[in-house]
């Protein structure tokens, strides 16, 4: 039990914003704060995993990334392209041909960024990996990503009711993890059927299972494709306890996705 004065000391690093470089989100008062849980929801193939990896790479902080949705070759190729600015296809080719030595020193500098590639991690797997991270580095990660939360085996989810309850319980678990570790925990999730093509703004009600009660921040993502291998990701703050929100999803920040390096660049306008 703490008084208000004592709470100044009890908060630790909680509330500290992580150093993301997406200025369009910052203009919408979106911050990824330590000690809080956030959710990114989008249709399949929209780019939510690319967004999460861009955040993890560009923040350049201790990260633990549970990549249940993508394997090591995919994540390594993408992250290397983002870090170096080189074409992801060229990077992937070097990886397949076992000619990856030119990237070794640069990647070794990111020793605090760790991945878990289990396709169906349990809560026990997550806790054990987190404990291992602390044992090795003497601190918890500042950012913990779970991609996707539906891949986590959290127990019985045999029907729609149990599935929704299981997802909400998992969100509560991740929110509690954020408070205990002072990390920002970020979960990736899907949307309902009518928004699964990812081509129009997604409201808060479009998040699958309607589980936005728990996260402090919920973002939905839709895309615009120009027909020439160009893609723009539009990110909407449909819930934000610490700043601006628009639950309709109609207010968003836009970012061009570089199809070569996979980096996100601000369009520098909001709608």
């Amino acid at each position: 039990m703490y008084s208000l004065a004592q709470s100044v000391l009890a908060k630790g690093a909680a509330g500290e914003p992580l150093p993301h470089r997406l200025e369009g989100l910052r203009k919408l008062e979106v911050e990824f704060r330590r000690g809080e849980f956030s959710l990114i929801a989008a249709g399949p193939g929209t780019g939510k995993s690319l967004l999460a990896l861009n955040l993890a790479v560009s923040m350049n902080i201790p990260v633990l990334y549970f990549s249940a949705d993508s394997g090591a070759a995919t994540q390594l190729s993408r992250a290397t392209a983002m870090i170096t600015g080189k074409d992801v296809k060229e990077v992937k080719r070097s990886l397949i041909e076992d000619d990856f030595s030119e990237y070794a020193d640069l990647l070794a500098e990111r020793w605090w960024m760790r991945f878990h590639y289990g396709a169906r991690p349990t809560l026990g797997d997550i806790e054990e990996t987190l404990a291992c991270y602390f044992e090795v580095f003497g601190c918890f990660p500042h950012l913990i990503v779970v991609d996707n939360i539906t891949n986590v085996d959290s127990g019985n989810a045999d029907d729609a009711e149990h599935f929704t309850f299981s997802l909400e319980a998992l969100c509560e678990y991740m929110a509690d993890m954020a408070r205990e570790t002072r990390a920002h925990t970020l979960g990736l999730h899907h949307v309902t059927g009518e928004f699964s093509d990812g081509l129009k703004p997604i409201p808060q009600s479009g998040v699958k299972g309607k589980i936005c009660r728990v996260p402090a921040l919920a973002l939905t993502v839709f895309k615009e494709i120009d027909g020439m291998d160009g893609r723009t990701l539009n990110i909407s703050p449909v819930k934000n306890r610490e700043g601006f929100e628009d639950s309709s999803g109609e207010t968003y920040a836009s970012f061009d996705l570089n199809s070569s390096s996979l980096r996100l660049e601000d369009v520098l306008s909001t709608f």
Side-chain angles (χ1 to χ4, degrees):
M1 181 171 64
Y2 299 93
S3 69
L4 288 174
Q6 291 169 330
S7 296
V8 174
L9 300 176
K11 81 171 185 63
E16 175 186 318
L18 298 180
H20 74 84
R21 62 177 185 80
L22 301 181
E23 189 60 32
L25 287 182
R26 189 166 283 113
K27 288 183 176 181
L28 291 178
E29 302 177 16
V30 171
E31 298 288 356
F32 301 89
R33 300 180 185 276
R34 296 180 64 179
E36 294 182 353
F37 164 54
S38 67
L39 192 69
I40 295 176
T46 299
K48 57 183 178 293
S49 294
L50 286 174
L51 170 57
L53 191 59
N54 263 279
L55 289 169
V57 167
S58 65
M59 286 179 179
N60 202 15
I61 57 174
V63 173
L64 180 56
Y65 196 119
F66 291 91
S67 183
D69 207 41
S70 301
T74 296
Q75 293 291 57
L76 177 57
S77 300
R78 288 176 172 181
T80 302
M82 292 173 189
I83 292 169
T84 63
K86 291 196 173 183
D87 190 302
V88 66
K89 294 177 182 177
E90 176 186 332
V91 173
K92 187 71 169 284
R93 188 180 307 113
S94 297
L95 181 62
I96 293 173
E97 295 174 354
D98 291 323
D99 185 23
F100 216 63
S101 57
E102 67 174 293
Y103 306 114
D105 291 342
L106 189 62
L107 297 182
E109 295 175 1
R110 302 294 184 107
W111 50 266
W112 56 83
M113 187 174 187
R114 297 297 167 117
F115 290 82
H116 181 286
Y117 293 113
R120 190 69 173 161
T122 65
L123 298 183
D125 294 332
I126 292 174
E127 291 184 4
E128 182 179 30
T129 306
L130 191 56
C132 288
Y133 192 104
F134 185 86
E135 182 69 20
V136 171
F137 299 118
C139 68
F140 287 115
H142 294 183
L143 174 65
I144 302 170
V145 181
V146 177
D147 179 7
N148 288 295
I149 63 172
T150 51
N151 293 102
V152 176
D153 183 0
S154 57
N156 181 26
D158 295 333
D159 55 42
E161 183 178 353
H162 283 99
F163 177 75
T164 300
F165 176 79
S166 177
L167 283 178
E168 192 161 81
L170 179 59
C171 289
E172 290 174 340
Y173 172 83
M174 292 187 65
D176 186 59
M177 182 194 301
R179 290 194 180 190
E180 291 295 321
T181 63
R182 300 294 193 266
H184 181 87
T185 55
L186 171 61
L188 275 57
H189 189 39
H190 299 291
V191 293
T192 56
E194 67 177 293
F195 300 104
S196 61
D197 61 7
L199 296 176
K200 56 187 175 183
I202 304 168
Q204 186 183 123
S205 59
V207 176
K208 190 172 183 178
K210 295 180 173 52
I211 54 172
C212 286
R213 178 184 65 83
V214 179
L217 172 69
L219 305 174
T220 59
V221 186
F222 73 100
K223 62 189 175 185
E224 295 177 60
I225 301 175
D226 63 11
M228 300 176 62
D229 201 30
R231 181 185 302 188
T232 299
L233 297 188
N234 301 308
I235 306 173
S236 309
V238 296
K239 180 183 178 183
N240 188 1
R241 287 182 188 152
E242 302 281 348
F244 173 83
E245 67 177 18
D246 178 0
S247 60
S248 74
E250 296 287 346
T251 306
Y252 49 86
S254 298
F255 303 89
D256 286 332
L257 175 65
N258 186 310
S259 60
S260 174
S261 68
L262 302 183
R263 291 174 174 174
L264 289 176
E265 300 295 338
D266 281 86
V267 176
L268 294 180
S269 61
T270 57
F271 299 88

